[in-house]
Amino acid sequence: MSDTNLTLNAEKRTQFGKGAARKIRRDHKIPAVMYGHGAEPVHITLPGHETMMALKTANALLTIVIDGDEQLALAKDVQRDAIKPVIEHIDLVVVRKGEKVTVDVPVHLEGDAAPETVVTLDSQTLQLEVEATHIPENIVISVEGLQAGTQIKASDVELPRGATLIVDEETLVVNITQQISQEELDAELAEAEEEAGIEREESEEDAAAEGDSAAAEGESTDGAKAESEDA
């Protein structure tokens, strides 16, 4: 559980717009807005490095300090630069102790399934309702020794104490299937290509193999002719 709060010292900001936001980021800070519980949105500036480190933890509970006043908050929306490792803007939602919040909690798999199986994680996260001050860092599911054909649905997952499942109980979380051999995979691919009317170009290996086969057949034919003439 993420019981530990991460404290960030913020500053109120009065300048807005793209130009002001660019200046904030040049100063290695992050523009943000904090809202919730019917209060007016508060526009703030957060320390860049500390905030980026704090948000490496999923659903991190933050203590935002503004002019000495503390406020608990969760990052609702984080806008990141498409290329550079930079956070451009953060939307924070105010929360209170004892309050229930809805969050997407990462799913973590542990253990090894039965030999010659493939484990597929169909749901990277599960949406839960939990106390704001007791948000689980992840949900751990063991696949140790599970056989092909096993499916783990949301209703099968053991939830942290006090958590309520929000997603459909029939949501597939983990699917374990039999491993396909290379021969079976090639056969399926060839069948799919044939149905789609795709003609596969002859590879260099196939051409070489055909050439060797033709050469061997030619040698066999020449040998038979020679034997016939000697007779």
Side-chain angles (χ1 to χ4, degrees):
M1 297 286 182
S2 55
D3 300 329
T4 304
N5 297 349
L6 301 168
T7 300
L8 296 174
N9 292 298
E11 303 170 356
K12 285 187 178 179
R13 59 188 174 99
T14 55
Q15 295 183 338
F16 309 99
K18 293 182 178 179
R22 282 196 293 267
K23 184 179 184 304
I24 290 171
R25 289 191 284 270
R26 280 199 302 270
D27 293 336
H28 305 291
K29 298 180 180 181
I30 302 171
V33 61
M34 188 165 62
Y35 56 87
H37 290 285
E40 287 291 324
V42 179
H43 296 272
I44 57 176
T45 298
L46 296 171
H49 177 71
E50 292 89 336
T51 304
M52 289 186 69
M53 295 300 293
L55 294 182
K56 285 187 175 182
T57 300
N59 303 310
L61 182 64
L62 307 173
T63 297
I64 307 299
V65 182
I66 309 173
D67 297 332
D69 294 328
E70 295 184 355
Q71 185 67 261
L72 293 178
L74 291 172
K76 188 71 174 178
D77 182 54
V78 180
Q79 299 174 22
R80 301 178 185 271
D81 186 274
I83 301 174
K84 297 178 289 185
V86 174
I87 296 176
E88 295 189 331
H89 189 273
I90 302 174
D91 285 2
L92 298 167
V93 60
V94 174
V95 297
R96 294 171 180 164
K97 288 184 178 180
E99 177 184 5
K100 295 271 188 173
V101 294
T102 299
V103 291
D104 292 325
V105 181
V107 176
H108 175 71
L109 301 182
E110 66 176 15
D112 297 315
E116 298 184 355
T117 59
V118 176
V119 179
T120 303
L121 181 60
D122 279 69
S123 299
Q124 301 288 333
T125 63
L126 282 179
Q127 194 172 66
L128 306 179
E129 185 183 66
V130 295
E131 284 190 23
T133 52
H134 291 80
I135 301 174
E137 292 183 11
N138 53 48
I139 297 170
V140 178
I141 299 176
S142 175
V143 297
E144 184 65 36
L146 296 183
Q147 300 293 322
T150 302
Q151 290 188 330
I152 300 176
K153 297 182 179 180
S155 58
D156 302 321
V157 177
E158 184 178 351
L159 302 179
R161 187 177 62 182
T164 302
L165 186 67
I166 300 299
V167 297
D168 189 333
E169 292 186 351
E170 293 299 306
T171 299
L172 182 61
V173 182
V174 180
N175 190 27
I176 301 177
T177 56
Q178 188 66 43
Q179 189 177 55
I180 301 176
S181 67
Q182 187 61 47
E183 291 76 11
E184 291 173 319
L185 188 61
D186 291 341
E188 288 185 7
L189 179 60
E191 184 179 348
E193 289 178 343
E194 185 178 350
E195 290 178 356
I198 300 174
E199 293 185 5
R200 185 186 299 185
E201 292 185 3
E202 188 176 53
S203 67
E204 292 182 2
E205 291 182 0
D206 290 340
E210 287 185 8
D212 292 342
S213 177
E217 185 178 345
E219 290 176 3
S220 176
T221 302
D222 292 342
K225 287 173 65 179
E227 288 180 5
S228 176
E229 289 174 358
D230 290 341

